[in-house]
Structure formats: structure tokens, C-alpha cells
């Protein structure tokens, strides 16, 4: 944990504040696998409850050169939920997500399922996922790992399905494991794309629109090192939902802009042209 970049912890604090002002009925828990890094980050103002959860699935970049260290920790959290005795619905979020609306606490129940997955959209989502298409085919539906909705039964089903995977070569992240079990029919799930959107705000790819603020949860992977740390710096001034939305508009590139979209198209065209030259 000591090597974890500070922007991840800034993202946790910003996410916690977004939940505070957008969905006051939800409880926020931060799972960590070590306790000796906590004093450097002040979460008290954002109401973060911290639980230490030892890692079982953690893989290092030494063991898997192409992996993302710690990326399988989500599976440890799922296993923890599988052991809970609760009728609650849980949402596992990446630290570059923000909650901007009140979440339906009975979403899964209303949709008749125990698991809710976010289906990735072709484009930049596929480009950065690093899924081993050569082994599973190009027509596979990719599942995102940034937002996972589950109840206790759903967590048990995921753990059982992952345990049945015998060949794990090329599976580097929790997204890869969830994609495999979802496409092999080992679990039943519903899509949560009506509630969640992965939004790209970089010049090389943009899929932003003002209507994005109607989603309940937004994932901003291109803002984890810039926009979200700026939200963290101003966290004491985010005391309401309106403050949150205004800050997101001001400190990130999540805005509908003909100019930015045109620059992005020119950037991609230039890059593709140079690639063919």
C-alpha cells in the first residue's frame, strides 16, 4: 500500500464527499490491506469508515509483467461480501468514480437479479482494457470493474464462478475475470448502464455530454491525476450536491463543448494519419 500513488487516496476522499452530498442514506467503507499508511491521509471530514482486509488474490507486477498491481483486490472485497449476513445491496466503486445522484437501494431487487454489471462500449473502453481477445474471441462482451452492484447471494455466485476457472492465463484484472464468467454463462446478471457511465475526457477520445449529469454514478478514468485531485483540494467547499456539480464542471473536462470535440477529432485524425504514413 505504501507505493500506492497519492491521487488514489485523493480520489477516495472525493468519492466519499460525493456520496455525502448526493446520497445521504448510503454507508461508505474503504477496504485496505494494510493499516500503516492511514495517518498520511485525513478522511475524517468525508466520513470514511476503514476496514483492513487482507489480500488473497493480489498479484504483483513481478509475477505478471502486464498486470496492474493490486487490481484483483476487488475480488477479495467480493469474497468479504459473500460472507456477510445481510439483505443490503452493495456497490463496489473505483476511486476515480463520483456519485452524483441518489442510488436506488433496491436496484437489484427491482430488476430481479443478484448482480449488476456495467457493459463496456466499443471504442476507448476496449482499447485500454487489455483483455486477451485472442483466447476468447473478438465478439465477447466486456464487463467493467469500476462499478459492481451485488448482494450477498450475488457475491457468492461470483466467487463460485471464478473458482471454477482453471486456466487463468492472460486474466490480469477483475474486469477480465468478471468478463469471462459473464460470457460463459456461469452467472446471471443485469446491466447497470442506465445508472452508470464511463466518461472519457481526454483529447484522444471524448464521449462527454451535458446529459451525463443525469447518471447516478460517473467514472472519470482520464481525470484521476488532474480533475479529481483538484476536487480533493477544494473538498472543504463541497457542502451540497450543487457544489459538487459546479466543482465537477469547473475542475474537470466533463463538459459538452463543440470546440473540445472538434480538437479531439483533429487530434485523432492527425494521430491516425501519422500512423499510416
Amino acid at each position: 500500500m505504501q507505493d500506492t500513488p497519492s491521487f488514489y487516496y485523493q480520489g477516495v476522499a472525493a468519492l466519499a464527499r460525493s456520496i455525502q452530498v448526493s446520497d445521504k442514506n448510503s454507508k461508505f467503507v474503504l477496504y485496505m490491506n494494510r493499516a500503516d499508511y492511514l495517518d498520511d491521509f485525513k478522511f475524517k471530514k468525508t466520513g470514511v469508515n476503514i476496514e483492513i482486509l487482507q489480500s488473497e488474490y493480489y498479484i504483483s507486477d513481478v509475477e505478471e509483467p502486464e498486470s496492474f498491481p493490486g487490481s484483483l483486490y476487488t475480488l477479495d472485497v467480493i469474497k468479504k461480501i459473500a460472507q456477510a449476513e445481510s439483505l443490503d445491496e452493495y456497490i463496489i466503486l473505483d476511486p476515480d468514480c463520483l456519485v452524483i445522484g441518489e442510488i436506488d437501494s433496491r436496484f437489484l431487487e427491482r430488476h430481479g437479479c443478484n448482480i449488476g454489471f456495467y457493459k463496456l462500449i466499443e471504442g476507448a473502453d476496449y482499447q485500454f482494457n487489455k483483455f486477451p481477445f485472442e483466447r476468447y474471441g473478438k465478439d465477447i462482451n466486456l464487463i467493467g470493474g469500476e462499478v459492481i452492484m451485488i448482494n450477498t447471494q450475488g457475491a457468492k455466485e461470483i466467487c463460485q464462478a471464478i473458482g471454477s476457472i482453471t486456466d487463468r492465463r492472460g486474466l490480469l484484472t477483475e474486469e477480465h475475470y468478471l468478463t469471462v464468467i459473464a460470457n460463459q454463462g456461469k452467472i446471471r446478471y443485469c446491466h447497470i448502464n442506465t445508472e452508470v457511465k464511463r466518461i472519457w475526457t481526454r483529447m484522444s477520445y471524448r464521449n462527454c455530454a451535458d446529459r451525463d449529469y443525469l447518471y447516478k454514478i460517473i467514472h472519470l478514468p482520464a481525470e484521476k491525476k488532474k480533475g479529481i485531485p483538484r476536487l480533493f483540494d477544494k473538498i472543504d467547499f463541497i457542502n451540497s450536491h450543487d457544489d459538487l456539480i459546479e466543482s465537477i464542471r469547473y475542475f474537470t473536462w466533463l463538459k459538452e463543448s463543440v470546440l473540445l470535440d472538434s480538437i479531439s477529432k483533429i487530434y485523432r485524425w492527425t494521430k491516425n494519419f501519422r500512423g499510416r504514413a
Side-chain angles (χ1 to χ4, degrees):
M1 292 296 294
Q2 289 181 319
D3 296 329
T4 303
S6 61
F7 59 78
Y8 279 114
Y9 295 95
Q10 294 169 343
V12 169
L15 170 59
R17 179 51 59 89
S18 75
I19 294 174
Q20 271 189 325
V21 300
S22 300
D23 192 348
K24 301 182 185 300
N25 295 320
S26 295
K27 176 185 177 183
F28 185 94
V29 178
L30 169 65
Y31 286 104
M32 304 178 69
N33 59 6
R34 286 173 59 175
D36 56 356
Y37 204 54
L38 300 181
D39 292 339
D40 294 336
F41 298 89
K42 305 183 185 303
F43 294 124
K44 292 182 179 179
K45 290 184 178 180
T46 56
V48 174
N49 298 297
I50 298 172
E51 291 191 21
I52 305 302
L53 177 63
Q54 296 303 318
S55 178
E56 176 180 331
Y57 290 102
Y58 182 90
I59 55 176
S60 70
D61 54 357
V62 175
E63 296 166 343
E64 293 282 357
E66 297 297 323
S67 71
F68 305 91
S71 62
L72 298 182
Y73 189 67
T74 297
L75 304 184
D76 294 305
V77 176
I78 293 175
K79 184 176 181 180
K80 170 77 172 179
I81 294 173
Q83 298 168 349
E85 295 182 2
S86 172
L87 297 177
D88 291 338
E89 295 187 4
Y90 300 83
I91 304 177
I92 303 174
L93 297 163
D94 276 357
D96 50 359
C97 291
L98 295 169
V99 174
I100 59 173
E102 187 172 353
I103 301 168
D104 184 355
S105 62
R106 289 287 176 261
F107 179 89
L108 297 178
E109 180 183 322
R110 297 183 205 284
H111 287 77
C113 54
N114 297 316
I115 303 168
F117 283 155
Y118 178 71
K119 180 183 177 182
L120 301 191
I121 308 301
E122 290 192 45
D125 290 350
Y126 275 50
Q127 179 182 350
F128 293 106
N129 184 269
K130 293 188 177 181
F131 186 80
F133 292 102
E134 67 279 3
R135 294 191 59 215
Y136 294 94
K138 294 183 178 180
D139 295 330
I140 196 167
N141 292 320
L142 292 185
I143 300 299
E146 64 266 48
V147 182
I148 304 168
M149 291 187 181
I150 53 174
N151 56 27
T152 299
Q153 180 59 35
K156 292 178 179 177
E157 293 171 7
I158 291 176
C159 291
Q160 182 177 3
I162 289 177
S164 68
I165 300 176
T166 56
D167 186 355
R168 303 188 178 190
R169 290 174 299 164
L171 303 181
L172 307 177
T173 71
E174 80 286 352
E175 290 188 331
H176 295 175
Y177 280 87
L178 298 179
T179 294
V180 169
I181 64 175
N183 283 271
Q184 290 183 347
K186 295 185 176 182
I187 55 172
R188 179 176 173 272
Y189 66 94
C190 57
H191 290 302
I192 58 174
N193 290 51
T194 57
E195 312 294 302
V196 181
K197 183 179 179 182
R198 179 184 287 190
I199 304 172
W200 291 100
T201 56
R202 59 179 64 188
M203 281 299 99
S204 58
Y205 188 84
R206 285 176 54 81
N207 62 342
C208 315
D210 284 341
R211 62 180 178 276
D212 293 340
Y213 287 96
L214 298 177
Y215 287 95
K216 303 299 175 60
I217 302 171
I218 55 175
H219 178 214
L220 302 172
E223 299 287 349
K224 63 165 62 80
K225 295 182 180 180
K226 295 182 179 179
I228 291 178
R230 293 188 187 114
L231 292 177
F232 172 80
D233 291 338
K234 300 297 182 181
I235 204 166
D236 288 336
F237 299 96
I238 301 176
N239 298 307
S240 68
H241 182 261
D242 288 343
D243 291 341
L244 174 66
I245 299 302
E246 182 179 352
S247 297
I248 295 172
R249 290 183 185 275
Y250 188 80
F251 291 114
T252 76
W253 289 105
L254 176 49
K255 47 181 70 76
E256 190 168 332
S257 169
V258 174
L259 175 61
L260 289 175
D261 291 344
S262 298
I263 294 174
S264 177
K265 290 178 181 178
I266 294 172
Y267 178 93
R268 294 199 305 274
W269 181 86
T270 304
K271 188 175 181 179
N272 292 335
F273 178 80
R274 288 176 176 173
R276 291 193 293 267

